[in-house]
Amino acid sequence: MRAAISVIAEKGTAALRMSDIATRAGMSTGHILYHFGKKDRLLLEVLAWSQADLWTRFQQAADQAVSPAEKLDLFVRFYLPSHQGDERYALWTQVLAQRHDEAGRRILTELLDGWDERLEAILREGRELGHFADVELPEFTIRAVAMLSGLSEDVMFGRSRWQHTSPHAFALSALERELRPTGRSRGRTA
């Protein structure tokens, strides 16, 4: 799976050959084909594996967080690509750009919904503890994820506006501003 991610990031999905992945993984092409059958299935499987790994690491970090604000910070960190060319995010963009059958769309929808569900759980906890304002969860989640997706595209493209400003800090500030409970005018919503 790691070999596939790195080859996809380097070559993209259009130029990807199963033999490239097999060579990188030290396996035969037949072995790769036996397990995945065709390239579209491989891409979806690699994406699902990558997301499961990312969500496990996110959950471990979130379990150590002391507040909903800290969990929100972690959510933004895990959502945004870490740098231009981030392999995981490159995989997402490559897979989303492909045409998918119904089964593929269902897998992608589940993966995308996983982000929404994690954010809504953080928001719900923060709201229940009085740390966050009483926002409309589905609407706020749509706006937040759309903003993060746009920032992610900027990072992956290498937009110069992020050379001196952190996309993470920008996103977190925008989210916290809207989540600040009435009566709190300064500082984080710890």
Side-chain angles (χ1 to χ4, degrees):
M1 295 294 186
R2 292 185 200 289
I5 289 174
S6 66
V7 172
I8 293 164
E10 287 173 20
K11 295 186 175 230
T13 56
L16 177 69
R17 296 179 326 195
M18 300 295 251
S19 60
D20 297 327
I21 295 169
T23 300
R24 182 78 50 97
M27 300 176 169
S28 71
T29 303
H31 189 73
I32 300 292
L33 289 170
Y34 173 78
H35 284 288
F36 299 104
K38 59 184 187 169
K39 187 167 70 169
D40 291 348
R41 172 140 180 234
L42 169 80
L43 294 172
L44 285 169
E45 293 288 332
V46 170
L47 182 61
W49 172 83
S50 173
Q51 277 306 118
D53 175 63
L54 185 66
W55 286 335
T56 296
R57 292 187 299 112
F58 168 76
Q59 192 58 55
Q60 289 169 346
D63 288 347
Q64 301 299 312
V66 296
S67 69
E70 192 175 332
K71 290 177 185 178
L72 181 64
D73 177 89
L74 288 166
F75 181 88
V76 171
R77 284 189 193 283
F78 276 83
Y79 192 99
L80 292 174
S82 60
H83 60 281
Q84 183 180 4
D86 180 290
E87 289 178 342
R88 288 181 190 270
Y89 207 85
L91 176 61
W92 264 106
T93 57
Q94 296 290 327
V95 172
L96 286 172
Q98 301 295 310
R99 287 190 177 267
H100 298 282
D101 60 14
E102 186 59 36
R105 284 192 297 276
R106 190 171 40 256
I107 291 168
L108 286 170
T109 299
E110 288 173 13
L111 294 174
L112 291 166
D113 287 350
W115 285 104
D116 294 358
E117 291 163 8
R118 283 161 177 80
L119 180 57
E120 283 191 21
I122 293 167
L123 298 172
R124 192 173 292 106
E125 177 187 1
R127 193 171 65 182
E128 289 170 3
L129 293 172
H131 295 198
F132 295 155
D134 188 16
V135 296
E136 170 63 33
L137 292 180
E139 179 187 325
F140 182 88
T141 299
I142 290 169
R143 279 196 321 277
V145 170
M147 176 189 63
L148 292 171
S149 294
L151 287 172
S152 296
E153 291 171 9
D154 268 10
V155 171
M156 291 299 289
F157 182 69
R159 297 279 307 265
S160 61
R161 67 171 137 210
W162 302 113
Q163 289 178 345
H164 304 292
T165 304
S166 162
H168 169 263
F170 177 87
L172 195 58
S173 175
L175 296 174
E176 287 178 334
R177 212 174 14 256
E178 194 169 344
L179 290 171
R180 188 175 300 124
T182 306
R184 288 192 188 179
S185 59
R186 304 183 68 178
R188 289 207 160 175
T189 57

